[in-house]
Amino acid sequence: MLNVDQQWVELLDDGRQHLEEFDTSDDQGDLGKLMLNVFADLNSGKHNNHSCQSCNKGLTYMKLFVPFPSILKLLAHVVCPIIESMFTSRVCSGILDRIADPMVYVLQNTNLTVPEVCAALLHPDCMTHLGLPLTRYVHWELPLPKRRRFKPRYPRNKKRQLKMLHLTDVHLDLCYAPGSASHCREPLCCRPSSPPLTSRSSAGNHSAGYWAETRFSCDARLEFVAAAIKHMADRHRDLDFIIWTGDNAPHDVWNTTRESNLRHILEVTRIVKRAFRGKPVFPTLGNHDTHPNNMYVPNKAALDSNGDVSMSWLYDTLADNYWHQWLSAPEAKRTFKLGGYYTARMGKGLVAIVLNNNICHLGNVWIAYDPIDPDGQLQWLIDQLDSAERRGLYAIIIGHVPIEECYMSWTNNYLRIVERYAQVIVGAYFGHSHKDEIAVYYSKNSSDNSVYPVSHGYIGSSLTTFPSLNPGYRIFTLDSTGVPIDFTMYYTNVTESNLAGDGRPPKWLFGYSAKKSYKMKSLSTRSWDRFMTKAATDDRLADLYFKHYRRFSEAFIEDKGQRYYDIHRKRRTLLSRRVVNPAHLLLPNPH
């Protein structure tokens, strides 16, 4: 999924092509246009020479002449008119209001130079483009313990299988209103306040259905979320545990507050507890669960500011109250309060390692405050995997953000870690994209430059329809050690459910079995690598994957445009999750 603020900036990226060249004089309009360019590049991840030079220029100017967030907020009257044809002024000013505080705080208080900030937030290549050497802030690696022989404490029990639900990206919207505009001039619609388009087309007049709305950009109604999760519990009574990979708040990123986000998390938590009473649940945080969206403050900043900026409002509330029953172990509560991550036993011979990898997400400007292993989370991951290896235990990794959407050094270290502990890790599960996806990660052989697969990850189906998707979830069948044997995807066509009326709950359908649909003998990393290789030339396979990717939603293709009918676009969508460790792709740095 594109975050709404990213989606917003992507549209700005199209519009800014019409801006003329300008210099950073004392003219506030020039500053506004410059910052518009910089924010667009930061959210899109561009790291070519132009974007790096622009970032260095813009952030230098901002560091010198914008010491207070209020000054940056004043630029709303310059920036917002540029995009008023796309979004309402309250969306534009609301987003600026929320990103101003962390942006200014980081720039004025970080130990990094401005080029290092750009290199951290965009890519280390910026240092090369700016004619500077890589520094420890920009490119860092954690030491890894030497390999040892892994001796499982418990042998694989062929008769014992485990069932696991992957629930993700609920995006509850307590303001959802049936009959409201589902196509509007804001990134999130289907609310009483959604301003309808002035277009006379049928799309412009489309309204929100009773249960949920597949067309355009709407989130999940409370009644739908409750009915959906109750269905999961009733239909799959043999579940052994549930992994819940974050994003419970809606996409109104211009309108969020701490209180609103906590209220949405609490409502989803109540539904999950009621539906899965007595079942082990392993929750993690999403990038939309914090306020402002994406902004996870590192513990170092909390200590340096004596608590003036911190995540305690979120971490403490969840650990002590909402999620207390799942974080009851003292060590789990301690690490969760430190950085939103924890570990817990999943059963005999199996542990869950739950990450808060939102801290590394490219949309989080706090990366530039503490880029070297924020909150010590990766070192903690090494310690947990090393402990599991020594004790003969297998491990499942659970997080929200797919690893390739983190900044380069974090991704590099994560991939080095999972390659080192491949014999211990039996699965990795993420959310965030909303689509039904598989990611395969590669490293490079230095002797001949060939690449080889080191790990893979399962990216789960969202419960929200945003954007233009059928809601879905996955059920995994695991062997006794936690290795996936197969998974099945289930979905519902809420358009049909809306037509059936409010008296009938949504009808859930079997989507597909990964093993059967893709004709795979196993779901190992090597098998998924072979699948990717085959799909690169097999049109039928690429087309089938894309149907699953969008969960059979015709509205997704209609709303995204004709380009999604093209088989080459479908193949690029699939292969975009074939990721080589980005550290191998760094520009040559002669320094």
Side-chain angles (χ1 to χ4, degrees), residues 398-419:
I398 304 168
H400 178 69
V401 179
I403 301 306
E404 60 272 29
E405 297 184 38
C406 290
Y407 66 101
M408 197 220 71
S409 283
W410 208 97
T411 300
N412 170 45
N413 278 278
Y414 175 86
L415 292 179
R416 291 174 58 245
I417 293 167
V418 297
E419 182 176 9

Side-chain angles (χ1 to χ4, degrees), residues 164 166 243 245 396-399 426-431 458 476 478 482 484:
M164 178 181 79
H166 185 185
I243 60 172
T245 52
I396 285 177
I397 293 178
I398 304 168
V426 291
Y429 303 88
F430 308 100
Y458 297 98
F476 284 81
L478 313 175

Side-chain angles (χ1 to χ4, degrees), residues 94-395:
I95 291 177
L96 279 176
D97 183 69
R98 281 155 180 76
I99 66 174
D101 290 278
M103 194 78 196
V104 172
Y105 187 96
V106 168
L107 272 179
Q108 297 300 333
N109 293 280
T110 182
N111 291 323
L112 277 65
T113 64
V114 170
E116 287 173 327
V117 169
C118 292
L121 295 178
L122 289 175
H123 196 278
D125 283 352
C126 280
M127 298 298 281
T128 303
H129 287 305
L130 296 171
L132 298 169
L134 297 177
T135 67
R136 66 187 185 95
Y137 291 119
V138 172
H139 185 37
W140 48 273
E141 288 189 345
L142 300 176
L144 292 170
K146 291 182 179 180
R147 295 181 181 273
R148 64 171 67 89
R149 184 181 177 188
F150 178 59
K151 300 178 181 179
R153 178 179 296 185
Y154 303 101
R156 183 172 281 110
N157 184 343
K158 294 182 180 180
K159 295 182 179 180
R160 170 70 169 145
Q161 290 187 349
L162 303 169
K163 288 289 181 68
M164 178 181 79
L165 164 67
H166 185 185
L167 173 66
T168 192
D169 293 274
V170 174
H171 287 291
L172 168 66
D173 185 4
L174 294 173
C175 294
Y176 183 100
S180 59
S182 68
H183 197 196
C184 68
R185 291 184 58 238
E186 294 183 341
L188 180 66
C189 305
C190 292
R191 301 175 138 201
S193 60
S194 299
L197 295 178
T198 56
S199 169
R200 296 179 182 178
S201 68
S202 59
N205 297 324
H206 201 276
S207 59
Y210 175 82
W211 286 106
E213 185 50 56
T214 309
R215 294 300 302 275
F216 310 113
S217 300
C218 301
D219 273 326
R221 188 186 182 194
L222 178 62
E223 288 79 0
F224 172 74
V225 172
I229 293 178
K230 182 179 185 300
H231 156 82
M232 296 174 201
D234 291 343
R235 179 163 179 174
H236 308 285
R237 296 182 181 275
D238 58 345
L239 288 173
D240 291 282
F241 41 80
I242 297 93
I243 60 172
W244 172 20
T245 52
D247 266 10
N248 302 291
H251 285 90
D252 60 336
V253 297
W254 71 94
N255 194 46
T256 60
T257 64
R258 290 179 178 183
E259 294 74 21
S260 173
N261 282 16
L262 286 173
R263 186 163 67 252
H264 282 85
I265 296 171
L266 177 59
E267 288 296 339
V268 180
T269 299
R270 286 171 173 167
I271 293 169
V272 169
K273 285 183 177 179
R274 186 164 56 245
F276 301 113
R277 188 174 288 109
K279 301 277 188 182
V281 178
F282 301 90
T284 190
L285 290 160
N287 63 300
H288 280 273
D289 293 325
T290 188
H291 168 79
N293 172 53
N294 295 326
M295 304 302 171
Y296 276 85
V297 182
N299 190 55
K300 183 179 186 301
L303 294 173
D304 291 346
S305 68
N306 293 318
D308 287 346
V309 292
S310 80
M311 294 303 302
S312 61
W313 67 272
L314 180 60
Y315 296 162
D316 290 359
T317 301
L318 298 184
D320 293 334
N321 190 351
Y322 301 0
W323 295 353
H324 171 73
Q325 70 187 76
W326 303 315
L327 298 170
S328 57
E331 181 60 13
K333 181 173 288 191
R334 184 192 71 81
T335 57
F336 191 88
K337 286 189 171 188
L338 171 68
Y341 54 85
Y342 66 97
T343 187
R345 291 296 290 267
M346 297 188 89
K348 192 175 180 180
L350 184 62
V351 296
I353 300 178
V354 183
L355 302 176
N356 176 18
N357 66 349
N358 303 287
I359 199 86
C360 71
H361 182 223
L362 285 168
N364 182 18
V365 301
W366 287 101
I367 290 167
Y369 188 89
D370 183 26
I372 304 176
D373 192 16
D375 296 339
Q377 186 171 182
L378 287 175
Q379 183 58 58
W380 171 85
L381 173 61
I382 293 171
D383 295 341
Q384 297 304 312
L385 289 170
D386 206 62
S387 173
E389 185 178 68
R390 283 187 280 101
R391 293 185 293 156
L393 304 177
Y394 290 102

Side-chain angles (χ1 to χ4, degrees), residues 470-473 489-493 507-511 551-552:
N470 288 322
Y473 64 92
M489 183 272 283
Y490 296 85
Y491 73 102
T492 181
N493 185 325
K507 180 181 179 181
W508 289 85
L509 306 170
F510 173 85
R551 296 192 292 282
F552 307 103

